[in-house]
Amino acid sequence: MDKPEATVPRLESETLALSPCFTPSPARQLDGRCAVVTGGSRGIGRAIALGLAQAGADVAILYAGNTERAESACAEAAAYGIRAQAYQCDVADFTAVQTVVAQVVADFPHVDILVNNAGVIRDSLLLRLTEADFDAVVDVSLKGTFNVTRHLLRTLLRSPHGRIINIASVSGLTGTAGQANYAAAKAGVIGLTKSVAREVAGRGVTCNVIAPGYIDTDMTRGLNPAVKDKLAAAIPLGYAGTADDIAHAVVFLASDLARYITGEVLRVDGGMAM
Ligand code: NDP
């Protein structure tokens, strides 16, 4: 005899009815807002910039050196009828960030959303990890997040919809062999996020962190196939995420629907680190 199929109980339609205080989000829920996205030229940052643009926000993209990709991201974002501008800047450089933030603030009338996404990897087991590779990763991910937040915070505090969204990693939650520098930097981003969330909450600004799992981008495309298979096997949903999966979470956290969420770590990882 065939085994009966496992059934998932269906919710009654009454249960699905929206509560009277729930306002469905409009398609362009970020109309009139302006976002700064670091590392917006490629991968996750590019998808975030496009997601925010699609939701109606102007976007200022910071990038390290890939001018062609940054300009094409801006052109794609501007097709949503918003203003998009790219700025070359090493987020690890405190003074360079100060200069570029002053330029962004001069170019856009207000800034409401900051997404600290720029990051690099220099993987190596600790016995072989060089000081230069440790510093490079911490300087871009952790110090870069501090630098941009520090210089933009006064402007964000003036926004009635201030949002800071930092991109960490599940490595910062669980640790990963071969990524002591990266995991340390990302764990630092989580601590920084919670501290900033407490400091700015009184001004109505939220500060949250997204911890992506294994996402298909330039950063992970170079991994050897055996490592990729091992990563995929560790994901309950069974496959790598896309940059858009992270962008959707960012748009939600940037929206009014997330106004009561702050200091939160949102894993977007297919269940990898639960
Ligand atoms: P990519 O390597 O695809 O893109 C990195 C982006 O960061 C590029 O736009 C790059 O600019 C920019 N960038 C790098 N260094 C600097 C710097 N010093 N100053 C300014 N911008 C810089 O990375 P991903 O899209 O994969 O990763 C984005 C974020 O998500 C990172 O913080 C990463 O740690 C995190 N993450 C990624 C995961 C993944 O599986 N991919 C998993 C977990 C977290 P340019 O194009 O000019 O070089």
Side-chain angles (χ1 to χ4, degrees), residues 21-239:
C21 64
F22 182 87
T23 317
S25 67
R28 288 181 62 101
Q29 53 196 310
L30 300 177
D31 257 339
R33 303 198 191 163
C34 173
V36 170
V37 181
T38 72
S41 49
R42 287 186 286 128
I44 292 171
R46 184 188 184 98
I48 290 170
L50 293 177
L52 293 169
Q54 188 174 22
D58 290 337
V59 287
I61 287 171
L62 270 53
Y63 68 101
N66 210 327
T67 303
E68 205 178 308
R69 297 297 303 274
E71 293 299 343
S72 83
C74 283
E76 220 178 305
Y80 290 109
I82 55 84
R83 180 170 170 208
Q85 186 129 0
Y87 302 82
Q88 184 171 9
C89 171
D90 177 1
V91 295
D93 181 334
F94 187 79
T95 312
V97 172
Q98 185 170 30
T99 305
V100 92
V101 165
Q103 189 59 54
V104 171
V105 170
D107 291 346
F108 291 86
H110 51 89
V111 178
D112 310 278
I113 301 156
L114 166 61
V115 185
N116 285 301
N117 160 80
V120 293
I121 46 172
R122 301 277 188 279
D123 293 358
S124 174
L125 292 173
L126 196 73
L127 282 175
R128 286 196 290 268
L129 183 58
T130 64
E131 184 184 8
D133 282 348
F134 186 87
D135 288 349
V137 169
V138 172
D139 283 353
V140 176
S141 271
L142 178 55
K143 193 167 170 233
T145 298
F146 160 71
N147 288 344
V148 185
T149 309
R150 171 71 179 78
H151 291 305
L152 200 59
L153 191 56
R154 237 176 261 285
T155 303
L156 288 166
L157 288 175
R158 286 197 279 270
S159 168
H161 318 279
R163 298 280 191 272
I164 302 167
I165 300 157
N166 297 326
I167 307 300
S169 164
V170 291
S171 283
L173 294 171
T174 63
T176 304
Q179 289 197 319
N181 48 357
Y182 186 74
K186 295 303 193 180
V189 168
I190 293 170
L192 183 133
T193 303
K194 292 184 179 184
S195 301
V196 174
R198 288 183 185 278
E199 286 188 25
V200 300
R203 301 286 293 271
V205 175
T206 68
C207 184
N208 291 291
V209 57
I210 292 175
Y214 169 31
I215 309 296
D216 180 31
T217 67
D218 292 348
M219 188 179 269
T220 50
R221 236 158 258 154
L223 293 173
N224 88 46
V227 174
K228 286 187 184 178
D229 288 348
K230 210 172 150 196
L231 282 169
I235 302 169
L237 282 179
Y239 55 90

